Amino acid sequence: MPDRVEIFEVGPRDGLQNEPRAIPVAEKIALIDLLSGAGFRRIEAASFVRPERVPQMADGAEVLAGIRRAPGLRYAALTPNIRGYDRARAAGADEIAIFASASEGFSRANINASVDESLRRFAPVAVAARADGLPMRGYISCVTDCPYDGPTPPGAVAALAERLLALGCYGISLGDTLGSATPETVGAVLRAVLAVAPPERFAGHFHDTGGRAMANIEVALEAGLRVFDAAVGGLGGCPFARGAPGNVATERVAARLAALGLRTGLDPDRLAEAAGFARRMRGGPSGAGSFA
Ligand code: HMG
Ligand code: MG
């Protein structure tokens, strides 16, 4: 039987959080419902962060209340602190994710905390998630490069991965936040993290800004990783540069994995339909992107 690889769909969260247009709840729900029929096991549907920081995600509870939940599929949400956790749990998230940075500069800019402070905030989230039986994922941002601090030492990523696993994360998603990683820098960070935990505990999360996401995924596949985050239609990117690449596109990853003889369990037709819908969402409210 061909090797199985999971694509963790993050478009409704990581993709949409950057869209400049205020996207109506109904469109977000429609996108998630389309994705739910495509064969994913996990879809990141929302984040429960400060609404003034990420206005696009302010309606996470309404989104989770409105979707048609497919059996066996877990709808995940980002939770930066216990306040976010309580909101996610009340909204019915099936799993949660805490998110840290391997670099101090991005940690401060993204979540207004040093790396140590962020772990202190995550501790009560971990306790609550365990008590409630909710699986908890961990993210590490800036695994190769930080926009503030420059190149990230691989040892810092490995040390943070150990701390997140010790907090109870079932797995760690390694984020190339800037999309500037190369096969060489990805190889170096993988060597460091695989010295502290086996490949089953890691996922690859590559933004495609530099156009190397697919090459980086192939390096991670070689190293034994079997979970990759991706966003349908390549949603995401910079809100101030329309059309700039966002997360690597799910349908592209699925097609490449199939060509490599790897099985994702995704239905290409359903995926294409969801990708078309996602691209129209990016297009905005008029012209080809019209939902009227
Ligand atoms: P803070 O300002 O340090 O929080 O925010 P605070 O504890 O000082 O509280 C200040 C106020 O915020 C209080 O309200 C809190 O109640 C409120 P007040 O009493 O003044 O009226 N507050 C909240 N409200 C709603 N939900 C919450 C929440 N927490 C506090 N959860 C915080 C810290 C992290 C919340 C903030 O900095 C924030 O929201 N940052 C945005 C982070 C974010 O969403 N980033 C994008 C996602 S990460 C990502 O995309 C990377 C990833 O894809 C991987 C990769 O590519 O690298 C995962
Ligand atoms: Mg991301």
Side-chain angles (χ1 to χ4, degrees):
M1 200 197 310
D3 211 352
R4 175 145 190 141
V5 175
E6 181 186 357
I7 300 183
F8 190 135
E9 174 60 45
V10 297
R13 194 283 303 172
D14 204 0
L16 294 186
Q17 77 179 4
N18 285 313
E19 287 301 317
R21 176 174 72 96
I23 296 175
V25 175
E27 274 181 42
K28 295 177 183 172
I29 292 171
L31 175 67
I32 295 170
D33 285 347
L34 277 173
L35 290 166
S36 291
F40 293 100
R41 287 159 57 196
R42 293 178 289 173
I43 297 176
E44 199 165 73
S47 69
F48 292 93
V49 299
R50 284 187 71 165
E52 59 272 32
R53 289 290 311 277
V54 189
Q56 193 69 262
M57 292 288 110
D59 54 10
E62 290 160 76
V63 171
L64 282 169
I67 56 176
R68 275 195 309 275
R69 288 173 185 249
L73 205 166
R74 298 212 302 258
Y75 297 91
L78 290 193
T79 57
N81 51 20
I82 195 69
R83 173 86 201 278
Y85 176 82
D86 290 340
R87 291 174 62 209
R89 174 145 171 77
D94 299 309
E95 80 166 62
I96 56 123
I98 52 179
F99 51 107
S101 172
S103 62
E104 292 293 340
F106 186 77
S107 184
R108 179 62 62 193
N110 192 40
I111 54 175
N112 192 30
S114 69
V115 176
D116 281 350
E117 280 162 7
S118 74
L119 285 152
R120 280 197 289 278
R121 288 180 184 173
F122 300 148
V125 175
V127 170
R130 189 174 307 117
D132 294 333
L134 289 191
M136 179 174 75
R137 192 181 204 215
Y139 276 102
I140 302 180
S141 286
C142 300
V143 295
T144 61
D145 304 274
C146 170
Y148 306 96
D149 302 349
T152 304
V157 183
L160 183 55
E162 268 192 303
R163 294 173 80 184
L164 290 171
L165 290 170
L167 265 181
C169 292
Y170 69 78
I172 308 286
S173 176
L174 301 167
D176 171 20
T177 314
L178 293 182
S180 57
T182 65
E184 292 71 31
T185 57
V186 170
V189 78
L190 288 173
R191 277 191 295 282
V193 298
L194 293 177
V196 303
E200 305 82 70
R201 306 300 292 273
F202 295 102
H205 178 107
F206 297 104
H207 287 257
D208 203 25
T209 325
R212 288 181 298 273
M214 208 55 244
N216 292 335
I217 287 175
E218 291 191 27
V219 169
L221 275 171
E222 279 292 312
L225 271 64
R226 290 294 178 269
V227 180
F228 296 96
D229 301 349
V232 71
L235 279 172
C238 174
F240 306 108
R242 183 165 290 268
N247 286 84
V248 65
T250 307
E251 60 280 11
R252 220 177 113 220
V253 181
R256 179 67 187 142
L257 291 173
L260 292 171
L262 297 163
R263 210 163 43 96
T264 60
L266 296 175
D267 177 332
D269 295 334
R270 296 278 186 95
L271 205 51
E273 193 186 345
F277 189 87
R279 276 191 229 101
R280 290 197 299 281
M281 282 174 103
R282 289 200 82 179
S286 62
S290 179
F291 281 85

